Amino acid sequence: MSILVTGGAGYIGSHTCVEMLNAGYEIVIVDNFYNSCPESLNRIKELTGKDFKFYECDIRDREGLDKIFAENNIEAVIHFAGLKAVGESCAKPLEYYENNVGGTITLCEAMRDAGCKKIVFSSSATVYGENNVSPLKETMQIGGTTNPYGTTKYMIELILRDLWASDNEWSIALLRYFNPIGAHKSGRIGENPNGIPNNLMPYITQVAVGKLACLSVFGDDYDTPDGTGVRDYIHVVDLALGHVKAVEKVLADKGVDAYNLGTGIGYSVLDIVHAFEKACGKPLNYKIVDRRPGDLATCYSDPSKALEVLGWKAERGLDEMCEDSWRWQKNNPEGY
Ligand code: NAD
Ligand code: UD1
């Protein structure tokens, strides 16, 4: 029996594959390397001393998926594969709906026809939209997303709930990630963005390593303690361990349920800058600029449901997140 990991060569996928292998699962990875590279797979093997099957395949390729299900005994799927850049999704909405929504439908059709009805899906805190007040709880109404990327996550959650309503044999976990940062302790796998990063931590690490000149802090006039945006940053290894727990849950119980994966703690942009300066031992060049359109002042989770139902809780603090992000960037200045 194996767990199929779509998008397993990517940032969160590679860390999850390491933790799944360490927990004793057999895995099969499928990825099209749209936003990743084969070297991350070598490093998963290096870190775990374990081997796995890999298919270079697009999840929209139904025949390719059918072959994977025919050749392996897949018990459940962890579904990371998708496009994730908010700005790009506004410029290329059709590509985002086609890849994220279309790809998930093709995957679920192939799963259904193969008799595999257990899936853990990468959703996002973005599904809470603009109108809910933090701490965000799974009982809050979702929707009101502000960009096509976020809307794909919202739509997929609805599609998966409809799928379960039509066939109660399915087991579905919708994992709503807050802001993943950090890297594996070894510094061998980490986030490897193409081009100029959009997200805060990869931007900071590239300033620290000298690839970028200066961090722009987007606004210091929010209604937050220091005026900069507040987010719930979570160590990617904690997030990966949350997937191991979610897999246990879908293997054990039928149903569909959403879980926040966050720490429950909100840190400001300047908190992150200062924690990172401590981790890398030097001052970071930054300047305050205008707000980024579409940004919220504050977004953090109530993570208590994941603790109660999955028995999972984030353990790693901000200093460790910054130290591990820095080690990865310093050891791999050009990425993989
Ligand atoms: P990533 O881009 O590093 O990983 C995604 C992987 O999926 C890549 O390896 C890419 O090549 C692959 N992929 C994309 N489209 C594919 C397709 N059609 N067929 C096969 N493979 C395909 O991103 P990540 O940060 O690891 O995110 C993983 C998932 O978590 C994504 O669905 C993302 O939307 C979601 N998510 C990420 C964050 C975050 O901050 N990183 C937050 C919330 C949710
Ligand atoms: C963004 C996306 C969200 C997505 C998540 C992970 C938006 C509006 N939201 O979340 O949908 O799930 O990334 O991919 O894009 N910041 C700076 N300077 C920078 C970069 C960021 O000051 O160069 C600030 C932002 O204003 C924010 C915080 O840092 O307050 C975190 O930003 P980011 O890492 O982009 O994540 P989110 O905006 O929370």
Side-chain angles (χ1 to χ4, degrees), residues 12-308:
I12 305 170
S14 57
H15 287 82
T16 300
C17 288
V18 167
E19 298 309 328
M20 288 291 292
L21 289 165
N22 285 343
Y25 287 95
E26 286 188 14
I27 61 169
V28 173
I29 299 181
V30 54
D31 203 299
N32 65 356
F33 295 131
Y34 177 83
N35 195 37
S36 53
C37 59
E39 180 57 19
S40 75
L41 303 177
N42 295 335
R43 302 217 181 161
I44 296 169
K45 288 180 191 163
E46 170 196 308
L47 290 175
T48 60
K50 295 189 177 159
D51 206 357
F52 49 81
K53 261 176 138 174
F54 171 71
Y55 292 84
E56 184 169 347
C57 174
D58 194 297
I59 57 158
R60 292 165 294 178
D61 170 0
R62 178 61 202 268
E63 281 179 16
L65 289 181
D66 286 346
K67 184 167 178 285
I68 297 172
F69 282 101
E71 290 180 357
N72 300 279
N73 192 356
I74 306 288
E75 214 178 352
V77 177
I78 310 179
H79 176 32
F80 293 106
L83 307 181
K84 64 162 185 176
V86 171
E88 187 185 58
S89 78
C90 298
K92 298 179 175 175
L94 298 180
E95 283 85 345
Y96 270 67
Y97 288 113
E98 219 267 310
N99 196 43
N100 292 6
V101 180
T104 302
I105 291 173
T106 304
L107 172 68
C108 289
E109 285 172 342
M111 289 176 66
R112 178 198 59 202
D113 293 350
C116 171
K117 296 184 177 177
K118 300 173 196 302
I119 183 167
V120 174
F121 171 63
S122 297
S123 188
S124 166
T126 195
V127 300
Y128 288 108
E130 291 188 303
N131 300 321
N132 289 303
V133 177
S134 293
L136 299 166
K137 295 175 79 72
E138 293 87 346
T139 46
M140 289 173 169
Q141 193 173 0
I142 61 167
T145 44
T146 53
N147 54 74
Y149 164 74
T151 306
T152 67
K153 295 294 179 190
Y154 172 59
M155 289 172 73
I156 295 166
E157 285 208 11
L158 298 183
I159 290 166
L160 292 175
R161 285 186 185 277
D162 284 346
L163 180 59
W164 183 81
S166 74
D167 177 356
N168 294 177
E169 289 298 308
W170 281 83
S171 315
I172 302 170
L174 310 169
L175 302 185
R176 296 177 182 160
Y177 311 156
F178 282 70
N179 289 56
I181 61 171
H184 191 269
K185 219 12 106 222
S186 62
R188 296 293 287 159
I189 55 172
E191 189 170 9
N192 188 29
N194 282 330
I196 295 176
N198 298 304
N199 294 118
L200 180 63
M201 184 52 85
Y203 205 105
I204 287 179
T205 61
Q206 292 197 15
V207 171
V209 85
K211 284 181 79 177
L212 294 171
C214 180
L215 170 73
S216 294
V217 174
F218 297 140
D220 67 350
D221 56 352
Y222 285 106
D223 184 15
T224 61
D226 66 18
T228 65
V230 167
R231 296 290 183 274
D232 184 341
Y233 296 91
I234 172 168
H235 197 296
V236 67
V237 172
D238 278 325
L239 193 63
L241 290 166
H243 289 75
V244 177
K245 295 289 190 185
V247 167
E248 286 170 14
K249 175 72 179 162
V250 298
L251 290 177
D253 296 317
K254 292 171 183 156
V256 56
D257 231 335
Y259 304 93
N260 288 339
L261 296 187
T263 63
I265 303 169
Y267 287 111
S268 74
V269 178
L270 292 180
D271 289 334
I272 302 295
V273 167
H274 298 316
F276 192 85
E277 289 177 327
K278 198 169 104 191
C280 75
K282 55 187 177 189
L284 196 80
N285 194 16
Y286 73 88
K287 61 173 190 264
I288 309 289
V289 302
D290 286 347
R291 293 181 178 192
R292 179 171 67 178
D295 272 356
L296 302 173
T298 301
C299 173
Y300 62 92
S301 66
D302 174 343
S304 52
K305 182 177 172 188
L307 179 59
E308 280 157 28

